Amino acid sequence: MHDLPSGDPYELDPLERQVVAFFVDGVRVLGLPRSIGEIYGLLFISQTPLSLDDLVRRLHISKGSASQGLRMLKSLGAVGEVEGGAERRTYYQPAIELKRLAGGFIREQIRPHLESGKTKISRLAETTRDIDDPTRRKFLKERVERLETWLRSGGKVLPVLQKLLGQ
Amino acid sequence: MHDLPSGDPYELDPLERQVVAFFVDGVRVLGLPRSIGEIYGLLFISQTPLSLDDLVRRLHISKGSASQGLRMLKSLGAVGEVEGGAERRTYYQPAIELKRLAGGFIREQIRPHLESGKTKISRLAETTRDIDDPTRRKFLKERVERLETWLRSGGKVLPVLQKLLGQ
DNA sequence: AGCACTGTTCAATTTTGTTTGAACAAACGC
DNA sequence: GCGTTTGTTCAAACAAAATTGAACAGTGCT
């Protein structure tokens, strides 16, 4: 089964395809799945908010993908819901301020890792104390301190990042 | 076939395992394969430089993985080669300055994407000019300009990032 | 209550990306 | 030259992650 030559009114036009491809590439760099890029891309280039069903039909993705993709984009603060007036279904529109996008990504994808990193390094420091050989222990202490320095730097950089992106 | 209870002198000790696991998690955040984390982790916690063969034996990874992993780590500036004296084989040691690590990652993994992004946006701007409907064209122009703004911000942030991480 | 519509969940499938291992190349010593 | 050691390459096998689609839940309408 394949698409009719020109029968599908939902087919993306060349420009839309180009934009969607742009965002698919973009989100891959961030380690996010392709469907996220497709959805955000189409919303980004759409002049009106789109419903979940619009995304399913125009991108040829499953309802499941669209639902999960929208959930993640909402959690990142990258899309917002719009009340569809009398309609029952909800419509979505993209957040386009870099500040918001970067902020959401940092909050949801980066900070949690820094936090869990801190915990793991503490445990590492514990393990290190049990080492018998003093020379080895001294070396390990240095390395653990190095890790702590890294994390501290990371923690300091994030707010600056947000500030720089937020104008 | 399985390991003998305590016969393998190359087995990682618990601390080494903990550190390797830490880096395996760490590199996953950066979108790099697990073997990269294993290799860097073991080098990081080793008091002496290690050879490719050391990595293969102690991490139970294939020569292929070790070779490819080391190549990427070298390209990132995350490991350096050390002359093994009279030995023929080369030994590797980790770079541990955050400045160097971040710099390599930015140079190899981020900048190229910013560059190709610029190109793609130019093409997008071209496509946009062909749109007939003036209202639609105006909207698209705004969106493309938004993308350009994002990339400019990204370009400006990187040097600041490097500077902040480089002390 | 029954039906239609919107959206979610999750096990099965598909896709993508990583790892392996065997073949190969290069460098050295005999 | 021939065997040995060190390391690379890459197609095939494998593992991990994303996507699908069918079952389900919730809501509103008649």
Side-chain angles (χ1 to χ4, degrees), chain B residues 13-114:
Chain B
D13 67 35
L15 174 72
E16 287 169 326
R17 269 199 288 274
Q18 212 180 330
V19 172
V20 166
F22 176 83
F23 280 101
V24 166
D25 283 10
V27 301
R28 201 178 39 211
V29 174
L30 303 177
L32 302 175
R34 122 177 236 106
S35 61
I36 297 283
E38 293 179 323
I39 295 169
Y40 185 84
L42 187 56
L43 291 176
F44 184 84
I45 210 58
S46 170
Q47 251 167 104
T48 59
L50 301 178
S51 68
L52 184 145
D53 201 48
D54 292 333
L55 295 166
V56 166
R57 286 189 328 237
R58 304 208 63 209
L59 294 169
H60 304 298
I61 61 179
S62 66
K63 266 203 306 178
S65 267
S67 175
Q68 290 175 190
L70 283 171
R71 168 162 21 127
M72 170 164 257
L73 285 165
K74 278 183 279 182
S75 84
L76 289 170
V79 309
E81 304 190 352
V82 151
E83 279 321 308
E87 307 258 355
R88 183 135 67 92
R89 74 189 120 188
T90 62
Y91 284 80
Y92 301 91
Q93 62 188 4
I96 61 172
E97 318 83 37
L98 186 53
K99 174 192 193 149
R100 201 160 171 41
L101 298 172
F105 188 77
I106 289 173
R107 173 172 37 76
E108 297 293 318
Q109 308 279 309
I110 303 189
R111 282 221 191 274
H113 288 293
L114 284 188

Side-chain angles (χ1 to χ4, degrees), chain B residues 126-143:
Chain B
E126 294 249 329
T127 309
T128 294
R129 279 184 221 110
D130 300 339
I131 301 291
D132 287 330
D133 176 13
T135 309
R136 177 73 175 150
R137 195 171 56 238
K138 184 153 174 290
F139 171 80
L140 293 172
K141 188 155 170 282
E142 277 172 29
R143 289 284 147 127

Side-chain angles (χ1 to χ4, degrees), chain A:
Chain A
M1 197 196 295
H2 56 80
D3 296 326
L4 296 173
S6 63
D8 187 346
Y10 301 125
E11 209 58 57
L12 300 186
D13 68 33
L15 174 72
E16 287 170 325
R17 268 201 288 276
Q18 211 179 331
V19 172
V20 166
F22 176 82
F23 280 101
V24 165
D25 283 9
V27 302
R28 200 178 41 210
V29 174
L30 303 176
L32 302 175
R34 121 178 239 108
S35 61
I36 297 281
E38 293 179 323
I39 295 170
Y40 185 84
L42 187 55
L43 291 175
F44 184 85
I45 209 58
S46 168
Q47 251 166 103
T48 60
L50 301 179
S51 68
L52 184 145
D53 203 47
D54 292 333
L55 295 167
V56 166
R57 287 189 327 239
R58 305 208 61 212
L59 293 169
H60 305 298
I61 61 178
S62 67
K63 268 205 303 178
S65 266
S67 175
Q68 290 174 191
L70 283 170
R71 172 167 9 132
M72 169 162 257
L73 285 165
K74 279 184 278 185
S75 83
L76 289 170
V79 309
E81 303 190 350
V82 153
E83 281 320 307
E87 306 257 356
R88 182 134 67 90
R89 75 189 119 186
T90 60
Y91 285 80
Y92 301 91
Q93 64 187 3
I96 62 172
E97 317 83 38
L98 186 55
K99 175 190 192 150
R100 200 161 171 40
L101 299 172
F105 188 77
I106 288 172
R107 173 171 37 75
E108 298 293 318
Q109 307 279 308
I110 303 189
R111 282 221 191 276
H113 287 293
L114 284 187
E115 293 308 319
S116 78
K118 266 196 239 170
T119 312
K120 284 180 201 153
I121 292 175
S122 303
R123 276 202 290 272
L124 219 48
E126 294 250 328
T127 308
T128 293
R129 281 185 219 107
D130 300 340
I131 301 290
D132 287 330
D133 176 12
T135 308
R136 175 75 175 150
R137 195 171 57 240
K138 184 154 174 291
F139 172 79
L140 294 171
K141 187 154 170 284
E142 278 172 28
R143 290 283 147 128
V144 169
E145 275 161 13
R146 173 66 62 164
L147 291 180
E148 284 162 348
T149 307
W150 288 1
L151 273 217
R152 251 197 317 278
S153 298
K156 274 186 197 155
V157 153
L158 292 190
V160 179
L161 240 183
Q162 295 210 40
K163 181 154 193 187
L164 282 176
L165 296 175
Q167 358 143 351

